[in-house]
Amino acid sequence: MSTTSRPRPRSHDARTAPPGRAPRTAVVVGAGMVGLATAWHLQEQGVEVTVVDREGVAAGSSWGNAGWLTPGMAMPLADPSLWTYGPRALLDPAAPLHVPLRFDPRLWTFFARFMAHATQARWDRAMAALTPIDRVALDAFDELAAGGSLGHGVEAGTTPGPFTVAFEHVREARPFLRELEHVAAAGQTVPVRRVEAGERAHQLTDRVSTVYALEGQRFLEPGPYVHALADSVRARGGTILTGLDVLDVEPGRLGACVFARAVHPDAARHPALVGAGASDGSGVTDGVGPDAGAPRRAASPADREEGVVLRGDAVVLATGAWLPSLAAPLGVRTRVQAGRGYSFTVKTDEPVETPIYLPARRVACTPYQGRFRIAGTMEFRGPDEPLQPRRIDAILASVRHLFQGVDLDERHDEWVGSRPVTPDGLPLVGATRTRGVYVAGGHGMWGMVLGPATGRALAHLVTTGETPDEIRAFDPLR
């Protein structure tokens, strides 16, 4: 892992605030890992932040994921092996990758572009683009824990591995080891070693023939960690408003304006939404002075479904799989598709101490609050579609013969979360076509591990206009 812990600046981006005019206030839309990490680092730069979310903290894919902090495995999802099992995704509802057979032109357009990137040359280029942020990803968690210049660090820990990587047949290990070779060629060191029989996790049956230990990675409990990050943002002076559904973002006279409506009765009555400011005549209150950046009521509520307006010198959209509805009108044309993952927790006869990965089954397992979280599948559907029980059945069928002492029939916390997937496997991080409005999303399965480093780099861009190397390849207008 690189010892670099600060973003390395590049040339000034003309779409950002002019040099010498750093923003004083910001509105971050989205209270998941990426949005809250961006808010935290904006605070480090002296920016007053307000975070808004339709549902609540960690309400999206930040809650039920496996909690893996594995920069050594943060790689493009579209790899050449898709051509061997991709067609099965269309015909077999139990396949690890599933695309429902139905008339959906946008979905099929995305899937075609996704498959077009499943070549070794394109995978290598995307891996090279991800490597700079992968190399600083774990450092960014250490910075959150330390508290930075304002103190109030994140009071939730991360746990080092090793990760157990298990295969039923020795031949199944070859693609995994080959991927790690390509990761190493791109500039990361990912220590991996063969595990002897006496070191195997107790939960693996004799059907598992080959086991490796992946070193240098960490894991966490995702929901509790993101809530601790939210607590840190609040303790450092930030405001987090939930129950507000953002409808639109537009430039304002003194910054950018976020139009929202309350989806919870108490949201519109939040004290932070009370106040008066100087109107620019458009129905938007552009407050100045010590309260600049605080949310304001729309002067003409009927114009925005009796909603509210929040203004900031900068606005960051970090809404995960829901990003296109707000970002597309701002020039972000790259398709973001919900790649839905499923998880549940179970009891085990013996405590599970480290994560277990079954690459051939696309299943990731993690210790979680005294239980064992089992996560898997990649399902391309709409982000708000209901949980599909047969996807959980497919996970169970694929791993039942590989586990022992694991009660797979008594499941808690069955969950589906929509991860934001791009066709080329690269996130969308940076300035939009509208001055002062930025996006941070499209991380696929890697929003948890790359969120803090993304927030740090984007905060640097927002406040200085300089694009760090870590996110240079992630231009959302590409």
Side-chain angles (χ1 to χ4, degrees):
M1 183 177 65
S2 169
T3 57
T4 302
S5 61
R6 285 288 179 182
R8 291 167 291 176
R10 304 291 291 183
S11 58
H12 188 274
D13 190 328
R15 294 169 288 165
T16 64
R21 188 181 169 187
R24 294 184 301 157
T25 62
V27 177
V28 178
V29 184
M33 173 65 97
V34 174
L36 288 168
T38 302
W40 195 97
H41 281 286
L42 286 169
Q43 291 176 312
E44 278 292 284
Q45 302 292 334
V47 180
E48 179 186 343
V49 297
T50 299
V51 181
V52 298
D53 195 279
R54 180 179 60 180
E55 301 292 338
V57 172
S61 60
S62 290
W63 186 83
N65 64 79
W68 286 17
L69 307 184
T70 51
M73 294 172 56
M75 57 187 71
L77 297 179
D79 64 75
S81 69
L82 275 178
W83 291 105
T84 62
Y85 71 85
R88 181 185 167 204
L90 311 180
L91 304 173
D92 184 359
L97 172 65
H98 179 58
V99 185
L101 277 174
R102 64 188 184 192
F103 181 73
D104 189 337
R106 289 174 63 83
L107 174 59
W108 292 113
T109 298
F110 167 84
F111 189 61
R113 292 175 180 172
F114 184 73
M115 292 296 296
H117 283 275
T119 68
Q120 193 62 58
R122 289 190 172 186
W123 191 96
D124 288 340
R125 285 199 296 271
M127 189 67 242
L130 285 167
T131 296
I133 196 167
D134 285 348
R135 293 176 65 184
V136 300
L138 298 182
D139 288 342
F141 281 90
D142 295 337
E143 185 173 358
L144 292 178
S149 62
L150 300 179
H152 301 288
V154 177
E155 295 183 354
T158 64
T159 305
F163 284 56
T164 295
V165 186
F167 303 90
E168 183 174 5
H169 306 290
V170 65
R171 66 177 181 274
E172 293 174 341
R174 294 170 192 154
F176 172 75
L177 297 175
R178 191 160 48 245
E179 278 186 336
L180 292 187
E181 290 173 357
H182 286 282
V183 170
Q188 285 194 78
T189 300
V190 187
V192 62
R193 60 179 176 82
R194 186 75 175 261
V195 171
E196 301 303 326
E199 299 179 79
R200 291 162 55 107
H202 298 295
Q203 288 73 28
L204 297 176
T205 69
D206 291 338
R207 296 283 295 273
V208 173
S209 70
T210 307
V211 180
Y212 288 86
L214 186 68
E215 309 277 1
Q217 318 297 302
R218 307 182 198 172
F219 63 98
L220 50 69
E221 295 184 343
Y225 185 93
V226 176
H227 275 276
L229 176 56
D231 290 341
S232 176
V233 169
R234 292 188 188 98
R236 292 153 62 92
T239 298
I240 299 178
L241 303 176
T242 60
L244 291 177
D245 186 16
V246 173
L247 305 172
D248 196 9
V249 180
E250 294 179 0
R253 180 167 58 89
L254 299 177
C257 302
V258 175
F259 297 90
R261 62 182 173 87
V263 294
H264 187 279
D266 293 335
R269 295 192 291 271
H270 193 286
L273 293 175
V274 178
S279 173
D280 64 1
S282 65
V284 174
T285 54
D286 263 341
V288 295
D291 293 327
R296 304 293 191 184
R297 291 194 182 279
S300 186
D303 292 342
R304 297 284 173 173
E305 301 184 31
E306 298 186 352
V308 296
V309 176
L310 302 89
R311 190 201 67 78
D313 298 330
V315 171
V316 176
L317 305 178
T319 52
W322 294 266
L323 187 64
S325 63
L326 294 175
L330 307 178
V332 181
R333 299 191 300 175
T334 298
R335 173 75 171 149
V336 176
Q337 170 63 44
R340 301 181 352 142
Y342 286 74
S343 75
F344 50 87
T345 64
V346 295
K347 291 195 304 183
T348 59
D349 291 348
E350 297 187 38
V352 183
E353 297 179 354
T354 61
I356 298 175
Y357 181 35
L358 305 171
R361 307 293 183 268
R362 303 296 196 273
V363 170
C365 311
T366 315
Y368 182 77
Q369 297 190 340
R371 294 172 65 84
F372 192 43
R373 172 170 282 175
I374 299 177
T377 200
M378 175 65 75
E379 177 190 51
F380 289 146
R381 283 184 181 268
D384 293 312
E385 292 189 44
L387 180 147
Q388 306 292 313
R390 62 183 177 180
R391 299 302 297 160
I392 290 179
D393 293 339
I395 295 173
L396 293 169
S398 72
V399 304
R400 192 176 290 275
H401 64 294
L402 302 177
F403 284 141
Q404 62 185 357
V406 178
D407 188 354
L408 295 173
D409 297 317
E410 183 65 31
R411 299 181 298 278
H412 294 179
D413 304 322
E414 291 189 345
W415 172 88
V416 61
S418 296
R419 300 163 298 195
V421 179
T422 61
D424 61 6
L426 299 181
L428 303 169
V429 184
T432 69
R433 189 176 57 199
T434 299
R435 183 183 292 277
V437 182
Y438 305 80
V439 297
H443 292 80
M445 298 193 303
W446 312 120
M448 189 62 58
V449 60
L450 300 183
T454 294
R456 184 172 64 191
L458 182 56
H460 185 88
L461 170 62
V462 170
T463 55
T464 69
E466 298 170 340
T467 303
D469 284 348
E470 289 87 331
I471 60 172
R472 184 162 52 91
F474 306 157
D475 188 343
L477 301 187
R478 64 180 184 268

